[in-house]
Amino acid sequence: MLPNTGRLAGCTVFITGASRGIGKAIALKAAKDGANIVIAAKTTHPHPKLPGTIYTAAEEIEAVGGKALPCIVDVRDEQQISDAVEKAVEKFGGIDILVNNASAISLTNTLETPTKRMDLMMSVNTRGTYLASKACIPYLKKSKVAHILNLSPPLNLNPIWFKQHCAYTIAKYGMSMCVLGMAEEFKGEIAVNALWPKTAIHTAAMDMLGGSGIESQCRKVDIIADAAYAIFKKPKSFTGNFVIDENILKEEGIKNFDAYAIKPGHTLLPDFFLDEYPEPITKKMESTGAVPEFKEEKPQPQPKPHLGAVEETFRIVKDSLSDDVVKATQGIYLFELSGEDGGTWFLDLKSKGGNVGYGEPSNRADVVMSMSTDDFVKMFSGKLKPTMAFMSGKLKIKGNMALAMKLEKLVSQMNARL
């Protein structure tokens, strides 16, 4: 863990989406130095599945030595942003750091993304970041610290990161383009950078997306808080950077990252937009004429599953079913498998006791997954993670994404038997 130095004592940090998760973690890290924290978020009453409000966050901030100003802010509302900035300046005398953390996500393809959902992502991610920055910049220009930090990814134009969730990628990259533009526009006056995790980060939102058990593949929010703190210590000349949390902490002398893991030693889930798995991504880039820098020797071809491998896999899956698994999942999966031994199969984890079979389920499927038989067998035998299959384009998903992500835990439970 990165120790506090007291460097942010008396600094005013304006953080969007700071009532929980990553935003709150960054707030608490700065508060331990004695910083003033403006909690610009919209949660005023507890959410049934997402704990924390702007008021509970304020109590936690003050408990560790910071000063807090909770402000009701929906970043889609320019007036609410302006009002919060005015209150911050009136109470604390200025703004030294802005953290654009508020974000909306929907990992759906073009035809599965409703217009309202697309509008939400564009309004919160890109537009919200732009408006919050615009409102704070006049005060940041007067600060000796002067940092804007956007929680957004490097601008990786590999098509693999667009094909499965085009709208979300555009919205997040809009935040990153604000970094690119504003860093150049305000060079010498304000440091403008982006921060992105190398691995999945465990938050209440991640639990909702990935379901129970996903936390074992995640790191704690502390790693992002420490990385943000490391950036805030940098001079204004450190600008226009797309920082990965682990990389900057290594520069700070951190060598053992087990302290950040929810379950030390457990395999971590890589985050989106980082080409951490060269083999499938190299193939994709080469198909579009690109030559990736990480090109490695071609791996040996994997043998195709023998005839009946899919049927055998489903037999073992059926033997693994229980009322507890059904109760924890509550979903019906339809698999459209191409290639040898393919066809349509279902996994019913909603009916009592659960069921599997060839063909259509008796009730409508909640999730439809399309992939090759080779990859299906690899996935259920632990050689291919469902998340990586999806991110690399080997798995296409329609329907309930939260249920789709629950399959990761189910598969890991069955690996030992396959």
Side-chain angles (χ1 to χ4, degrees), residues 212 320 325 328-329 407-417:
S212 177
S320 303
V325 170
T329 310
L407 190 66
E408 185 108 29
K409 181 182 179 183
L410 182 66
V411 167
S412 66
Q413 291 174 342
M414 296 177 177
N415 285 168
R417 304 192 58 184

Side-chain angles (χ1 to χ4, degrees), residues 6 18 22 33 74 85 196 217 229 231 236 269 313 321 361 381:
I22 289 171
D33 268 8
D74 181 336
V85 169
W196 195 247
Q217 300 172 66
Y229 188 80
I231 292 170
K236 294 178 185 180
L269 193 64
T313 299
L321 297 183
S381 61

Side-chain angles (χ1 to χ4, degrees), residues 83-122:
D83 290 346
V85 169
E86 284 184 20
K87 288 176 183 176
V89 173
E90 184 181 341
K91 184 175 177 69
F92 299 125
I95 295 173
D96 299 290
I97 297 170
L98 165 65
V99 180
N100 286 307
N101 167 71
S103 191
I105 182 172
S106 180
L107 298 176
T108 46
N109 62 34
T110 301
L111 297 179
E112 297 290 325
T113 306
T115 302
K116 282 187 177 181
R117 179 63 59 177
M118 182 196 70
D119 287 343
L120 175 68
M121 288 190 285
M122 300 298 179

Side-chain angles (χ1 to χ4, degrees), residues 339-398:
E340 187 180 10
D341 197 26
T344 300
W345 296 77
F346 71 87
L347 172 58
D348 182 351
L349 296 177
K350 190 177 280 185
S351 304
K352 184 174 176 60
N355 194 20
V356 303
Y358 185 81
E360 300 278 344
S362 55
N363 294 311
R364 183 181 176 184
D366 300 295
V367 186
V368 179
M369 297 185 163
S370 304
M371 64 194 313
S372 71
T373 53
D374 292 40
D375 291 331
F376 173 82
V377 174
K378 287 178 191 174
M379 189 170 79
F380 272 86
S381 61
K383 296 175 183 175
L384 176 65
K385 285 186 173 292
T387 306
M388 281 313 303
F390 173 70
M391 294 200 307
S392 63
K394 292 183 176 182
L395 168 63
K396 294 182 179 178
I397 301 173
K398 292 181 180 179

Side-chain angles (χ1 to χ4, degrees), residues 131-154:
L131 292 180
S133 301
K134 183 180 178 183
C136 289
I137 283 169
Y139 303 100
L140 290 168
K141 290 174 80 170
K142 299 175 185 177
S143 170
K144 292 180 180 179
V145 180
H147 273 272
I148 295 176
L149 182 64
N150 295 352
L151 273 295
S152 64

Side-chain angles (χ1 to χ4, degrees), residues 159-310:
I160 207 81
W161 303 115
F162 290 82
K163 67 175 290 186
Q164 301 288 3
H165 38 75
C166 188
Y168 174 63
T169 298
I170 292 170
K172 287 305 288 187
Y173 279 18
M175 297 176 70
S176 300
M177 291 173 80
C178 286
V179 170
L180 205 61
M182 293 178 188
E184 195 66 24
E185 184 177 357
F186 301 105
K187 187 175 284 186
E189 296 181 287
I190 305 169
V192 187
N193 296 286
L195 174 61
W196 195 247
K198 184 175 181 179
T199 71
I201 302 297
H202 183 236
T203 61
M206 176 60 79
D207 277 339
M208 286 183 67
L209 280 170
S212 177
I214 195 73
E215 68 275 5
S216 63
Q217 300 172 66
C218 300
R219 280 175 171 163
K220 302 171 186 174
V221 291
D222 298 345
I223 191 169
I224 293 288
D226 282 3
Y229 188 80
I231 292 170
F232 300 153
K233 293 194 299 177
K234 301 279 188 183
K236 294 178 185 180
S237 57
F238 183 83
T239 191
N241 300 287
F242 292 88
V243 180
I244 303 303
D245 58 357
E246 185 175 302
N247 296 348
I248 194 167
L249 290 175
K250 283 180 179 177
E251 292 175 10
E252 291 285 327
I254 303 294
K255 294 178 180 178
N256 183 357
F257 287 84
D258 282 349
Y260 294 114
I262 299 292
K263 288 192 176 179
H266 199 285
T267 301
L268 295 168
L269 193 64
D271 209 342
F272 281 35
F273 309 116
L274 304 178
D275 292 351
E276 293 292 322
Y277 285 75
E279 187 265 329
I281 295 173
T282 299
K283 287 182 179 178
K284 179 63 185 175
M285 291 178 74
E286 288 178 337
S287 72
T288 60
V291 180
E293 292 181 359
F294 51 62
K295 180 71 160 47
E296 297 182 345
E297 291 184 9
K298 291 183 179 179
Q300 294 296 316
Q302 295 287 334
K304 285 188 174 289
H306 61 79
L307 189 65
V310 172

Side-chain angles (χ1 to χ4, degrees), residues 1 3 16 30 39 49 64-65 69 71 114-115 118 154 162 167 178 212 219 221 254 302 308 359 405-406 418:
M1 297 285 188
T16 66
I39 308 159
K49 294 183 179 179
V64 297
L69 175 63
C71 295
T115 302
M118 182 196 70
F162 290 82
C178 286
S212 177
R219 280 175 171 163
V221 291
I254 303 294
Q302 295 287 334
M405 294 183 75
K406 278 189 178 183
L418 289 161

